[in-house]
Amino acid sequence: MRAAQKNIQEVVDSRPTRLRVLDAAIRLFVHKGYFNTPIQDIVQESGVSIGSIYHYFGDKEGIAKALYVTYIDRMSREMADINVRHTALRERSRAVIKLLFQLTEQEPEAIAFMLGAKLQEFLPDETPVCSAKPFELMRNMVKEGMASGEIRELSLMVAVSSLFGGALRMIHHRIEGRIKEPLYRHEKEVWECAWRAVAKS
Amino acid sequence: MRAAQKNIQEVVDSRPTRLRVLDAAIRLFVHKGYFNTPIQDIVQESGVSIGSIYHYFGDKEGIAKALYVTYIDRMSREMADINVRHTALRERSRAVIKLLFQLTEQEPEAIAFMLGAKLQEFLPDETPVCSAKPFELMRNMVKEGMASGEIRELSLMVAVSSLFGGALRMIHHRIEGRIKEPLYRHEKEVWECAWRAVAKS
DNA sequence: GTCTATACGACGATAGAC
DNA sequence: GTCTATCGTCGTATAGAC
């Protein structure tokens, strides 16, 4: 009980200073890159002293790790929600793309950090994002959809890549500024293309 | 004339030492990351002294830049070749996917460096890969295919992302080890999914 | 918990002989 | 062109007062 509370507190602790650091850090990591961001920049951007930062996070990697677990956790819960609210892959895949596009517009830094950066270079002990729970849930959706005959019989990875690859490319283009307008304007079109790729007939 | 020769020499110069350095560098950059690779590691891996490395490349960034221009140049030529050999988007897109899959199998480090790394973090002055010539050629193929009525009318970026997004995802999965078998085994399936996504009817 | 000041190590880059 | 030896800086992390 006490251990569980402690774990929860470690992840979702919302004390101002800690949040101020994480907020500054993700912005800097995304815009300049992890290795191009000295702690000193985080000190300036957050207004928190270097002593406090090390007090909370132990080392620089600890800051990145805190961001990683926060967002993996959140994405996992949202993916699990989708699985509960919908039963067919048709609706599930649509909801996944909608969710990812929404996140990209509402919190571009979070998505850029999770999908854009090569996290393994500075978080060597964490599971790579595309092997982690949210993506695992997406693969399972597709697996079920194929088993139930909702989509064609394909290699699993081909089906997953074909169904979500287009949306993920759009997100990359949006993050890197090659798409100017909000992604939700393309949501329907992107999903329709994706669905045609794997649908029966 | 002489200037042209000098330019060519700067790009494709194949003196053993220079190549040994580039060969060692791309392996280290891909497997450990640019920022996790001290010059000293390149010295060891290549067997070339640090003095010679600086003689040829000026600084560390110069090594990465040499790799970048080499591969952009090569990919551009191969994409242009595809444009010459085929006229319809149907065949062109198929050839592009085949080419990318082949490169991934034959020179995984080159593809991982160009598509996997976030080059802008250490090559801030170079055009991001997805805005550079090879990808520009891919976008033009799609543009022409849409103008000639070969595929449905879609936003250009949606069409491009849908047509090549699946293949690019497969490449990422292959590079990161989530796909064990060679990509050419999935080539036909991947292209068929991609084509269904954008094809008419 | 928060801060300032400082120690320490690593890495990029240069000098200069051969 | 190639090498060895060396320098200077920057950035992580710690010490220790408040």
Side-chain angles (χ1 to χ4, degrees):
Chain A
M1 185 70 116
R2 180 168 288 193
Q5 276 191 349
K6 184 156 186 296
N7 274 334
I8 287 169
Q9 201 173 21
E10 273 171 14
V11 173
V12 298
D13 184 0
S14 54
R15 278 172 298 179
T17 47
R18 194 184 149 98
L19 274 191
R20 284 218 307 279
V21 173
L22 290 176
D23 196 58
I26 197 167
R27 242 174 309 148
L28 290 163
F29 289 169
V30 164
H31 290 113
K32 311 185 15 172
Y34 176 84
F35 293 102
N36 292 322
T37 303
I39 306 272
Q40 190 52 44
D41 283 17
I42 302 177
V43 170
Q44 289 213 346
E45 184 86 2
S46 67
V48 175
S49 73
I50 190 171
S52 291
I53 292 178
Y54 275 91
H55 172 73
Y56 278 108
F57 300 100
D59 59 8
K60 187 181 174 184
E61 195 180 316
I63 305 174
K65 195 175 297 193
L67 290 169
Y68 175 87
V69 299
T70 300
Y71 288 118
I72 279 285
D73 194 60
R74 176 164 164 200
M75 286 179 65
S76 297
R77 275 186 281 109
E78 308 222 50
M79 289 290 169
D81 265 20
I82 286 174
N83 257 333
V84 171
R85 279 202 303 273
H86 306 282
T87 50
L89 178 58
R90 187 186 171 90
E91 278 74 38
R92 282 175 173 173
S93 61
R94 194 159 187 166
V96 166
I97 290 173
K98 181 175 185 171
L99 167 66
L100 292 175
F101 280 12
Q102 267 179 356
L103 278 175
T104 305
E105 296 302 328
Q106 287 164 10
E107 299 183 58
E109 275 99 358
I111 289 292
F113 181 76
M114 295 303 282
L115 301 183
K118 20 149 225 13
L119 301 181
Q120 315 162 47
E121 282 186 15
F122 51 92
L123 291 175
D125 298 334
E126 301 294 333
T127 310
V129 178
C130 295
S131 299
K133 202 168 175 189
F135 276 76
E136 198 195 319
L137 288 169
M138 285 161 68
R139 278 192 290 276
N140 277 337
M141 293 179 194
V142 174
K143 206 175 211 167
E144 284 182 36
M146 207 183 307
S148 71
E150 209 183 340
I151 61 173
R152 294 185 289 132
E153 296 242 344
L154 300 160
S155 305
L156 180 61
M157 291 307 272
V158 173
V160 174
S161 300
S162 298
L163 187 53
F164 296 115
L168 290 169
R169 288 302 294 169
M170 289 294 287
I171 289 170
H172 271 104
H173 289 311
R174 174 68 171 142
I175 282 169
E176 290 179 18
R178 281 184 296 275
I179 294 178
K180 310 294 181 189
E181 65 280 5
L183 283 183
Y184 57 72
R185 255 184 239 174
H186 301 289
E187 190 188 308
K188 198 177 167 224
E189 218 177 26
V190 167
W191 176 79
E192 279 172 359
C193 287
W195 190 253
R196 280 168 185 254
V198 298
K200 281 207 163 163
S201 99
Chain B
M1 186 73 117
R2 179 169 286 191
Q5 275 191 349
K6 184 155 186 297
N7 274 333
I8 288 169
Q9 200 173 18
E10 274 172 16
V11 172
V12 298
D13 184 0
S14 55
R15 280 172 296 180
T17 47
R18 195 184 149 98
L19 275 191
R20 285 217 307 278
V21 173
L22 290 176
D23 196 58
I26 196 166
R27 242 176 307 147
L28 290 163
F29 289 168
V30 165
H31 290 115
K32 311 184 18 173
Y34 176 84
F35 293 101
N36 291 322
T37 303
I39 306 272
Q40 190 52 42
D41 282 17
I42 301 177
V43 170
Q44 289 214 343
E45 183 86 1
S46 68
V48 174
S49 74
I50 191 171
S52 291
I53 292 178
Y54 275 90
H55 172 74
Y56 278 109
F57 299 99
D59 59 8
K60 188 182 173 184
E61 196 180 314
I63 305 174
K65 195 175 296 193
L67 290 169
Y68 176 85
V69 299
T70 301
Y71 288 118
I72 280 284
D73 194 59
R74 176 163 163 199
M75 285 180 65
S76 297
R77 275 186 280 110
E78 309 222 52
M79 289 291 170
D81 264 20
I82 286 174
N83 257 333
V84 170
R85 278 202 302 275
H86 307 282
T87 51
L89 178 57
R90 187 187 170 88
E91 278 74 39
R92 283 174 173 174
S93 61
R94 194 159 187 166
V96 166
I97 289 173
K98 180 175 186 171
L99 168 65
L100 292 175
F101 280 12
Q102 268 179 355
L103 278 174
T104 304
E105 296 302 328
Q106 287 164 10
E107 298 182 58
E109 276 101 357
I111 290 292
F113 182 75
M114 296 303 282
L115 301 183
K118 23 153 224 3
L119 302 180
Q120 315 161 48
E121 281 185 16
F122 50 93
L123 290 176
D125 299 334
E126 299 295 332
T127 310
V129 177
C130 295
S131 300
K133 202 167 175 188
F135 277 76
E136 196 195 318
L137 288 169
M138 286 162 67
R139 278 192 289 276
N140 277 337
M141 292 179 194
V142 174
K143 206 176 212 169
E144 284 183 36
M146 208 184 305
S148 71
E150 208 183 339
I151 61 172
R152 294 184 292 132
E153 295 242 344
L154 299 161
S155 304
L156 179 61
M157 291 308 272
V158 173
V160 174
S161 299
S162 298
L163 188 52
F164 297 116
L168 290 169
R169 288 303 295 168
M170 290 293 288
I171 289 170
H172 272 104
H173 288 311
R174 175 69 171 141
I175 282 169
E176 288 178 19
R178 281 183 298 274
I179 294 178
K180 310 294 182 190
E181 66 279 6
L183 283 183
Y184 57 72
R185 254 183 241 177
H186 301 290
E187 189 188 309
K188 198 178 168 222
E189 218 176 26
V190 168
W191 177 79
E192 280 172 358
C193 287
W195 190 252
R196 280 168 183 253
V198 298
K200 280 206 163 163
S201 102

